[in-house]
């Protein structure tokens, strides 16, 4: 929502003070070093005139702002102050509106607002706030003023004009001597000033008469002007009330005025401000321009403001009160009512909606007041002035409100983001009123508003069912939204509601496309972003990541346009973080989270702060990075008290996920139970499925098969009706994990086959609740069973999967590096030979690799390496050689993480390396524990793996021989066991053949024959 530019209003225009007496002694007070001056005194003592005349003589850039009761809604204050800034010459960036998302961070918003405003003004400048007494004590404007004054830069001045003293919120400024007060004692006219004014208006006044005037008026400017107008020094009735004295003196003058002037003054008494045309319309006097000009020129409590396209006149509040009191005496009730209503119409035609509403209210013209509210509430809500709309609707008589559904609708809209539950109740009330009146469009918009109120609260999605049915019914009846903007909002509310509450609906994607089309054809860039980003959210939750990525990219580009709000930018970052979390891009997720939080911190817009943190938390968990996840979890704890149930469901689910990664089953069980309970209470099927799947996995690990199966059965019923391939993929792979881990191979592989088929078809590589070791295990099963081998390999490579026990015996596992050492040394990278020529640059790094393998490949101390490879050089030189060679080995491999050095110990990372020695040791251990046919099968695999002696083509280095002999000895022992088994089974020929084959492979691997020579 943008404001009209270059608008000139009486509210933001300095009054003209030509012809007034310059009060130089007060100008000196205003020239003090204090950044803030508070001018306070009773009515009619010249406060406003002083501020305006000081600006004239100071000749600094300035803004003038006249406060009234409408500024109690701080959004109104920011709106009109922005208009004042926009009305200055030159093009500049518009100041922001205080829209609902900024309200919780009002202090931050105010600080940024005034920083930008003061930067635009450029020092030296002055900001004058006139009529501060109109601001109620309960208004947030006092806190805003504190922030504004503390933000004031060097060279900036603020002058506040008020009938009262500074509020307590400014006490610190007074204590720090940053605020000075020009009070009633300062404002009183001195004898010299009284004399100068008297002689200017009445040149023949004697010194005695002037002294008498001074004594009578005690420096009160209004009293002085009125007595001078009388032409004599009279004694007003004794009273402590300035208004009573003013009324007496003004009454004396009013009686002396001609009938034309009296009638003019009474007929225009209800106008808060007027142009000559307005006054002419009300009074019927063709000479109103001359009358107003004369009243202003004679300083008869009528101020002039040089607004465009024509000047605006304003009665002093004391004069206006007097005239209205006199009208009550002189005019009939009917005539006063006519003037009230005519004044309201004049204000309405001039665009002064606030004044028109106030006049209709004073006239008890409730229907007209309601009409005006309904006609203008949409614009006010868009400006962030919902508090004003809500107050106006509340001021209507109950019997009027009961007949004005659109007034109730706009009262609901004004509160939707800040108090969504109250807003929903009002939308429900408006809906029933629309239905009773047969207003289909009203019913549709109230239903959409109720949807968004429920979505803002995110506490009970089951409430959406009613409104989904209403929108469906409207579609069937042919009711159409009144505008593209309304259509975009209605369709957007519908697809988000369906996603959360009725994901089984087949028309969900149709609603997305309808919302996108309508939003693209309307002009509001922020609505376009809102719809596009929420559409991408729905596409993600339904598993259509490619389309979601395209839409996010388009929205990212659109966000570079002018007029994009901080709320839209943070929403973009929130969606980017969610996308990165769901696609396992942890760095991008953290980046989007941090950027979103930075914007939130800078602007005070914290609508998405909890979700930004939750998605960052989930992104770290998806990467298995507990060190990164835990600080984010601690940040989230500070927001739990204000998080709705939906957000708490996410948080509990992720806490359970973290506990599973830490292998803390009991904590995981408690957290997941809480998450499931919240998901059911919230009424969100998608999250109920995820929580039941997570709980089933935990129960399976706890050995509680009965409860595990019960959750899976309930989950299956929910999932079967939902058209969501990613949810199906998640559930199938999750079920396969559980089934295969508990020996249900047939059903586990069947689920895995369907799940990986979906994963390949849609390009899925991640799901919430991801535990890399568990997924790695099922991928090993897939490769062993020949299920989607290419997709399984791509998943393993992309996610760097390695089970807790490396699948060394799975031939198809896509290791980054394969190292063959039996029968000779061979190094492969991605199954392609890695150049291992005898050049000097490669020889030493490869020698280091061979030594590490000979030493077991893990936890090999640096001292052991240097003693073996650099035995003849001193310790420091050996360390440098070791460090250099390790660096060269990593460079040769092309992956620094493949060879780790931690606390002086070197290891080959099992996520990257397959060593035939590791596979041999695992098979040998399996064989030693096996029996029967399993023993024979393992023996055959062992024989195929052991292709010759360890490093057969290498020289007999001292460090190599022990490893070679150890491996050869174990090979001999396990084969001897196989041969013994074969003889026991009565198969000596097979035993003899096995023995002979082992000798062919390694002549030194002979073992004592246990088979008969028969």
């Amino acid at each position: 929502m943008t404001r009209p530019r270059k608008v000139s209003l009486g509210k933001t225009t300095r009054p003209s003070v030509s012809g007034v007496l310059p009060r130089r002694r007060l100008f000196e007070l205003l020239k003090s070093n204090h950044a803030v001056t508070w001018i306070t005194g009773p009515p009619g003592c010249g406060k406003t005139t002083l501020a305006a005349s000081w600006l004239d003589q100071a000749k600094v850039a300035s803004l003038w702002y006249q406060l009234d009761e409408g500024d109690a809604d701080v959004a109104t204050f920011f709106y009109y102050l922005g208009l004042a800034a926009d009305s200055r010459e030159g093009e500049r960036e518009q100041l922001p509106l205080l829209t609902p998302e900024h309200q919780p961070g009002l202090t931050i918003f105010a600080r940024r607002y005034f920083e930008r405003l003061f930067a635009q003004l450029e020092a030296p400048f002055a900001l004058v706030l006139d009529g501060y007494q109109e601001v109620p004590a309960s208004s947030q404007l006092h806190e805003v003023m504190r922030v504004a004054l503390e933000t004031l830069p060097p060279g900036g001045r603020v002058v506040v004009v008020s009938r009262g003293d500074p509020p307590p919120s400014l006490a610190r400024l007074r204590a720090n001597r940053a605020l000075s007060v020009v009070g009633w004692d300062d404002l009183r006219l001195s004898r010299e000033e009284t004399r100068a004014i008297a002689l200017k208006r009445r040149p023949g006044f004697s010194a005695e008469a002037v002294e008498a005037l001074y004594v009578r008026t005690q420096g009160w400017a209004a009293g002085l002007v009125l007595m001078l107008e009388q032409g004599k020094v009279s004694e007003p009735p004794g009273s402590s009330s300035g208004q009573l004295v003013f009324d007496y003196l003004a009454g004396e003058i009013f009686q002396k005025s001609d009938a034309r002037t009296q009638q003019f003054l009474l007929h225009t008494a209800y106008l808060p401000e007027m142009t000559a045309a307005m006054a002419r319309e009300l009074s019927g006097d063709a000479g109103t321009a001359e009358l107003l000009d004369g009243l202003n020129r004679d300083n008869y409590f009528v101020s002039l403001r040089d607004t465009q396209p024509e000047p605006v006149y304003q009665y002093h509040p004391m004069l206006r009160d007097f005239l209205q009191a006199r009208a009550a005496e002189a005019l009939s009730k009917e005539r006063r009512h006519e003037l009230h209503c005519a004044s309201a119409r004049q204000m309405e035609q001039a665009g002064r909606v606030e004044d028109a509403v106030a006049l209709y209210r004073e006239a008890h013209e409730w229907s007209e007041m309601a009409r005006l509210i309904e006609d203008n509430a949409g614009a006010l809500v868009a400006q962030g002035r919902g508090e004003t709309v809500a107050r106006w609707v509340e001021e209507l008589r109950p019997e009027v409100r009961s007949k004005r559904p659109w007034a109730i609708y706009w009262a609901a809209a004004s509160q939707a983001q800040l108090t969504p539950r109250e807003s929903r109740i009002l939308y429900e009330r408006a809906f029933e009123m629309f239905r009773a009146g047969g207003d289909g469009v009203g019913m549709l918009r109230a239903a959409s508003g109720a949807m968004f109120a429920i979505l803002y609260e995110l506490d009970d999605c089951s409430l959406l069912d009613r409104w989904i049915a209403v929108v469906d019914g409207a579609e069937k009846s042919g009711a159409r939204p009144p505008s593209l903007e309304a259509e975009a909002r209605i369709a957007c509310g519908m697809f988000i509601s369906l996603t959360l509450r009725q994901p089984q609906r087949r028309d969900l994607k149709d609603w997305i496309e309808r919302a996108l089309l309508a939003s693209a054809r309307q002009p509001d860039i922020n609505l376009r972003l809102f719809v596009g980003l929420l559409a991408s959210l729905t596409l993600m939750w339904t598993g259509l990541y490619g389309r979601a990525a395209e839409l996010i990219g388009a929205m990212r580009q659109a966000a570079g346009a002018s007029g994009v709000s901080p709320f839209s930018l943070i929403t973009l970052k929130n969606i980017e973080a969610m996308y990165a979390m769901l696609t396992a891009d942890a760095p991008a997720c953290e980046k989007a989270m941090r950027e979103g939080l930075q914007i939130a911190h800078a602007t005070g817009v914290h609508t998405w702060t909890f979700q930004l943190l939750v998605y960052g938390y989930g992104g770290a968990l998806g990467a298995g990075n507990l060190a990164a996840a835990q600080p984010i979890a601690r940040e989230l704890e500070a927001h739990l008290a204000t998080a709705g149930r939906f957000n708490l469901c996410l948080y509990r689910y992720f806490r359970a996920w973290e506990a599973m990664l830490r292998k803390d089953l009991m904590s995981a069980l408690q957290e997941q139970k809480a998450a499931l309970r919240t998901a059911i209470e919230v009424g969100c099927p998608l999250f109920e499925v995820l929580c039941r799947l997570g709980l089933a996995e935990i129960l399976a690990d706890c050995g509680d098969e009965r409860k595990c199966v019960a959750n899976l059965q309930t989950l299956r019923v929910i999932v079967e009706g939902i058209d969501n391939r990613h949810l199906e993929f998640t559930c199938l792979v999750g079920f396969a994990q559980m089934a295969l881990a508990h020996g249900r191979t047939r059903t586990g592989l069947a689920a895995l086959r369907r799940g990986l088929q979906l994963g390949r078809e849609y390009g899925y590589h991640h799901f919430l609740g991801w535990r890399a070791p568990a997924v790695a295990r099922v991928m090993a099963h897939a490769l062993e069973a020949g299920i989607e081998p290419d997709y399984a390999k791509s998943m393993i490579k992309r996610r760097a999967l390695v089970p807790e026990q490396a699948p060394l015996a799975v031939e198809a596992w896509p290791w980054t590096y394969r190292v063959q050492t039996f029968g000779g040394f061979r190094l492969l990278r991605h199954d392609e030979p890695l150049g291992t020529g005898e050049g000097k640059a490669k020889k030493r790094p490869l020698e280091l690799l061979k030594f590490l393998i000979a030493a077991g490949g893990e936890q090999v101390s640096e001292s052991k390496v240097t003693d073996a490879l650099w035995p003849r050089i001193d310790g420091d030189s050996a360390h440098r050689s070791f460090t250099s060679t390790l660096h060269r080995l990593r460079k040769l491999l092309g992956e620094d993480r493949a060879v780790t050095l931690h606390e002086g110990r070197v290891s080959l990372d099992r996520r990257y390396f397959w060593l035939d020695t590791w596979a041999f040791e695992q098979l040998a251990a399996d064989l030693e524990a096996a029996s029967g046919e399993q023993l024979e099968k393992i023996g055959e695999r062992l024989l195929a793996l052991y292709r010759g002696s360890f490093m057969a083509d290498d020289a007999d280095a001292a460090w190599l021989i022990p490893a070679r002999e150890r491996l050869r000895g174990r090979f001999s022992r396990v084969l001897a066991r196989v041969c013994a088994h074969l003889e026991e089974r009565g198969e000596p020929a097979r035993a003899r053949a096995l023995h002979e084959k082992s000798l062919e492979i390694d002549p030194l691997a002979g073992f004592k024959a246990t088979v008969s020579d028969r």
Side-chain angles (χ1 to χ4, degrees):
M1 176 72 187
T2 57
R3 290 178 290 260
R5 294 186 64 85
K6 302 294 182 283
V7 173
S8 183
L9 299 170
K11 185 177 177 68
T12 58
T13 304
R14 171 160 53 100
S16 174
V17 288
S18 59
V20 302
L21 175 73
R23 305 189 69 184
R24 304 192 187 284
R25 66 180 180 85
L26 296 183
F27 292 168
E28 290 300 315
L29 292 179
L30 289 171
K31 284 171 60 178
S32 69
N33 293 326
H34 297 93
V36 183
T37 301
W38 194 278
I39 302 176
T40 179
C45 65
K47 302 182 296 294
T48 299
T49 301
L50 171 62
S53 59
W54 173 72
L55 286 179
D56 277 352
Q57 69 86 33
K59 297 188 180 347
V60 294
S62 65
L63 283 183
W64 186 280
Y65 190 94
Q66 183 171 324
L67 293 154
D68 55 46
E69 64 178 13
D71 293 297
D73 178 358
V74 288
T76 295
F77 171 76
F78 284 118
Y79 174 74
Y80 279 113
L81 189 58
L83 284 181
D86 290 346
S87 67
R88 298 174 66 244
E89 292 300 320
E91 291 297 319
R92 58 184 58 83
E93 183 182 2
Q94 286 191 334
L95 294 167
L97 299 168
L98 182 65
T99 43
E101 63 269 16
H102 289 287
Q103 289 276 7
L106 178 60
T107 300
I108 295 174
F109 175 87
R111 181 169 289 109
R112 300 292 180 264
Y113 185 99
F114 284 105
E115 285 173 351
R116 288 172 59 179
L117 172 63
F118 294 152
Q120 288 181 9
L121 292 175
E122 299 179 2
F125 66 83
L127 169 63
V128 177
L129 301 170
D130 188 16
Y132 196 87
Q133 72 279 350
E134 300 295 334
V135 182
S138 60
S139 174
Q140 292 177 300
L141 187 60
H142 301 297
E143 176 63 16
V144 168
M145 284 304 304
R146 180 189 66 79
V147 174
L149 300 182
E150 289 178 354
T151 310
L152 197 62
R157 292 290 308 276
V158 172
V159 176
V160 184
V161 177
S162 177
R163 294 180 186 177
D165 291 332
S169 60
L170 303 184
R172 191 170 73 174
L173 284 171
R174 295 190 73 175
N176 294 338
R177 301 182 181 276
L179 183 150
S180 63
V181 176
V182 175
W184 172 221
D185 288 340
D186 301 307
L187 291 168
R188 290 178 189 273
L189 296 170
S190 65
R191 280 185 168 81
E192 291 74 17
E193 290 168 334
T194 301
R195 179 174 179 278
I197 294 172
L199 294 178
K200 183 175 183 180
R201 297 178 72 91
R202 297 283 183 178
F205 253 45
S206 66
E208 293 77 7
V210 170
E211 180 63 21
L213 273 175
Y214 177 73
V215 171
R216 293 284 187 276
T217 60
Q218 292 295 300
W220 184 36
L224 175 64
V225 171
L226 289 170
M227 285 190 173
L228 288 170
E229 192 65 25
Q230 279 186 310
K232 63 181 181 178
V233 180
S234 61
E235 184 71 39
S239 173
S240 60
S241 168
Q243 183 67 50
L244 286 177
V245 175
F246 183 95
D247 290 352
Y248 168 77
L249 295 173
E252 293 282 308
I253 299 165
F254 184 82
Q255 289 300 117
K256 294 179 181 179
S257 301
D258 58 56
R260 176 194 174 198
T261 301
Q262 288 184 11
Q263 178 174 301
F264 173 80
L265 290 170
L266 293 179
H267 286 183
T268 55
Y270 298 106
L271 289 170
E273 63 181 35
M274 72 196 87
T275 63
M278 289 180 190
R280 184 167 52 250
E281 184 70 23
L282 279 172
S283 66
D285 192 323
T288 54
E290 293 78 11
L291 274 171
L292 285 168
D293 184 59
L295 290 168
N296 168 252
R297 187 176 57 252
D298 293 339
N299 292 317
Y300 188 43
F301 304 99
V302 179
S303 63
L304 168 67
R305 299 170 192 263
D306 290 320
T307 58
Q308 297 298 325
E310 57 181 323
V312 166
Y313 296 89
Q314 190 174 47
Y315 292 149
H316 189 284
M318 296 180 75
L319 176 60
R320 189 164 176 245
D321 289 344
F322 163 78
L323 292 174
Q324 290 182 11
R326 185 54 62 97
E329 298 172 359
L331 303 177
S332 68
K333 182 178 180 180
E334 292 76 16
R335 181 55 179 153
R336 294 199 308 275
H337 185 266
E338 289 175 5
L339 289 171
H340 246 122
C341 294
S343 299
R345 286 192 294 273
Q346 289 296 314
M347 290 291 99
E348 183 179 352
Q349 291 169 14
R352 293 300 304 270
V353 178
E354 301 92 328
D355 292 325
V357 167
L359 287 165
Y360 281 132
R361 181 180 62 238
E362 291 167 10
H364 292 185
E365 279 292 334
W366 305 112
S367 294
E368 286 298 294
M369 179 179 171
R371 173 193 60 77
L372 192 58
I373 293 169
E374 292 167 354
D375 289 347
N376 293 276
L380 267 69
V381 169
Q383 294 162 8
R385 299 166 67 192
E387 182 182 328
T388 295
V389 174
R391 175 169 54 82
W392 286 349
V393 175
E394 186 64 26
E395 288 171 349
L396 291 170
R397 296 287 292 271
E399 61 270 22
V400 175
R401 287 201 302 270
S402 67
K403 298 175 183 177
R404 307 298 301 217
W406 282 108
I408 303 301
Y409 170 88
W410 285 114
S414 72
Q415 304 175 50
Q417 291 188 48
L418 296 175
T419 54
R421 186 166 301 185
E422 291 83 348
S423 173
R424 172 175 56 81
I425 293 169
L426 287 171
Y427 276 126
E428 290 171 354
R429 183 177 163 196
F431 175 82
E432 295 301 336
M433 293 167 69
F434 284 130
R435 181 161 64 178
D439 187 342
V441 170
M443 291 169 61
L444 190 57
R445 296 200 67 172
S448 174
M451 278 181 173
F452 275 108
I454 294 164
L455 293 170
Y456 284 129
E457 189 175 17
L458 274 180
D459 188 70
D460 185 358
C461 292
S462 67
L463 296 171
L464 292 168
D465 290 339
R466 175 190 181 187
W467 304 112
I468 292 171
V470 168
V471 176
D472 284 338
E475 282 290 294
K476 292 175 183 176
S477 69
R480 303 298 301 170
S483 65
L484 287 170
E485 177 266 340
E487 182 171 6
R489 291 187 185 278
I490 290 167
C492 179
M494 189 66 169
F495 74 67
I496 285 292
S497 297
L498 292 176
T499 300
L500 292 174
R501 182 60 185 164
Q502 298 180 15
Q504 72 278 8
R505 284 275 293 262
R506 301 293 173 175
D507 60 343
L508 197 157
K509 296 180 182 66
D510 296 335
W511 283 105
I512 292 175
E513 295 306 322
R514 181 170 166 181
L516 289 172
L517 180 62
S519 68
R521 292 166 58 197
Q522 59 82 49
D524 186 345
I525 180 62
N526 288 300
L527 177 57
R528 204 177 316 148
L529 285 165
F530 184 72
V531 172
L533 291 170
L534 290 187
S536 65
L537 178 150
T538 288
L539 291 167
M540 283 187 273
W541 285 125
T542 52
L544 300 176
Y545 292 108
R547 176 78 175 97
E550 292 175 4
L551 197 50
I552 292 170
M555 294 302 103
R556 189 180 296 118
Q557 186 173 4
S562 62
V564 174
S565 69
F567 174 77
S568 294
L569 294 175
I570 298 170
T571 304
L572 171 62
K573 293 302 170 186
N574 192 46
I575 297 300
E576 287 178 344
M578 179 192 292
Y579 178 83
M581 176 192 73
L582 293 173
T583 55
D585 188 346
C589 183
E590 183 181 14
K591 180 174 181 288
M593 176 192 73
R594 293 302 174 196
E595 289 175 350
L597 293 175
Q598 285 172 3
I599 300 171
H601 178 74
T603 62
V605 179
H606 290 285
T607 310
W608 300 123
T609 293
F610 192 92
Q611 289 195 14
L612 280 164
L613 288 167
V614 160
Y615 298 145
Y617 186 29
L621 295 175
N625 189 346
L626 293 176
Q630 287 166 358
I632 302 175
R634 286 194 291 271
E635 285 188 70
L636 278 165
E637 290 173 2
H639 300 275
L640 292 178
T642 56
R645 283 195 293 186
F646 180 85
N647 284 332
L648 287 176
C649 176
L650 278 174
Y651 173 74
R652 296 297 177 198
Y653 177 85
F654 287 166
R655 290 290 290 173
W657 185 4
E658 181 188 348
M660 285 295 283
L661 291 173
R662 288 189 281 105
K663 300 181 181 179
D664 182 354
L665 280 179
M666 288 302 99
S667 294
L669 182 62
Q670 295 307 313
E671 294 285 3
Q672 197 64 271
K673 281 182 178 179
L676 175 59
R677 185 168 55 250
T678 309
I680 294 170
E681 291 170 355
V682 170
C684 182
L686 282 174
F687 280 91
E688 183 179 347
V689 167
L690 291 174
C691 292
R692 286 195 183 278
L693 180 63
L695 183 57
E697 292 179 4
I698 297 167
L699 291 167
D701 284 1
C702 291
D704 193 337
E705 183 175 345
R706 183 180 62 81
K707 290 183 180 178
C708 171
V709 170
N711 275 282
L712 290 173
Q713 288 173 340
T714 304
L715 173 157
R716 182 174 181 178
V717 172
I718 300 171
V719 171
E720 282 178 344
I722 300 176
D723 182 23
N724 186 324
R725 299 287 81 82
H726 188 264
L727 189 63
E728 190 178 352
F729 164 75
T730 301
C731 292
L732 286 167
V733 175
F735 174 75
Q737 289 178 10
M738 289 180 272
L740 293 170
H742 292 81
R744 302 196 175 188
T745 305
R746 185 178 63 81
T747 54
L749 291 179
L752 188 59
R753 181 172 285 104
R754 174 58 181 155
L756 296 193
Q757 180 185 350
L758 285 172
R760 171 183 53 78
E761 185 177 347
Y762 289 93
Y764 300 145
H765 289 90
H766 186 57
F767 49 78
L768 295 183
W770 180 276
R771 289 180 293 145
V775 179
R777 285 195 297 272
V778 297
M779 291 301 114
H781 282 289
L783 292 175
E784 285 185 306
I787 297 173
E788 298 288 344
D790 291 339
Y791 170 70
K793 288 179 182 179
S794 73
M795 175 81 85
I796 293 164
K797 290 178 181 178
R798 178 169 180 158
R799 302 304 308 278
L801 293 177
V802 178
E804 290 166 326
Q805 184 176 358
L808 300 170
V810 180
E811 183 64 28
W813 191 273
W815 298 102
T816 306
Y817 305 105
R818 287 179 177 270
V819 184
Q820 297 172 1
T821 61
F822 292 119
F825 180 81
R826 190 172 183 226
L827 174 60
L828 305 176
R829 181 168 60 194
H830 299 307
D831 294 327
E832 296 292 332
L834 185 65
T836 57
E838 294 301 318
K840 185 177 180 181
K842 296 178 180 178
K843 183 176 180 180
R844 207 56 166 167
L846 288 174
E847 189 175 16
L848 173 58
L849 177 60
K850 291 174 182 179
F851 176 81
L852 293 174
I853 295 170
E858 293 180 300
Q859 296 295 306
V860 183
S861 68
E862 179 184 338
S863 60
K864 188 173 181 179
V865 175
T866 54
D867 288 347
L869 300 185
W870 295 280
R872 295 184 178 84
I873 60 177
D874 62 60
D876 289 343
S877 298
H879 172 71
R880 287 193 294 271
S881 297
F882 164 76
T883 303
S884 172
T885 306
L886 177 60
H887 171 73
R888 288 157 58 198
L889 174 59
R890 287 170 169 168
K891 187 175 180 181
L892 174 65
L893 294 170
E895 174 57 75
D896 287 353
R897 293 171 295 181
V899 185
T900 64
L901 176 63
H902 181 64
E903 294 183 351
R905 294 183 176 275
V906 191
S907 297
L908 303 178
D909 194 324
R910 287 180 179 264
R911 293 176 299 173
Y912 298 96
F913 276 99
W914 178 89
L915 306 182
D916 59 359
T917 53
W918 284 348
F920 171 84
E921 298 281 13
Q922 183 175 311
L923 282 174
D926 292 344
L927 188 146
E928 289 165 353
S931 61
E933 292 184 4
Q934 189 69 18
L935 188 146
E936 296 174 34
K937 290 179 180 178
I938 297 174
E940 291 172 4
R941 292 168 62 186
L942 194 67
L943 200 61
L945 185 65
Y946 192 92
R947 302 174 184 178
S949 63
F950 178 69
M951 304 280 190
D953 52 2
D954 277 71
D956 293 340
W959 52 264
L960 187 150
I961 294 171
R964 180 182 292 161
E965 292 304 320
R966 181 180 60 79
L967 292 167
R968 178 183 287 141
R970 191 165 194 190
F971 175 66
S972 300
R973 287 193 300 276
V974 295
L975 280 190
R977 186 163 183 267
V978 177
C979 288
H981 166 72
L982 290 173
E983 177 166 325
E984 289 171 5
R985 287 187 52 177
E987 297 184 65
R990 286 185 63 195
R992 187 180 298 109
L994 181 62
H995 180 237
E996 291 173 354
K997 188 171 182 179
S998 70
L999 293 174
E1000 290 175 9
I1001 293 171
D1002 186 352
L1004 299 179
F1007 51 87
K1008 184 176 180 181
T1010 60
V1011 297
S1012 170
D1013 292 334
R1014 294 190 301 270

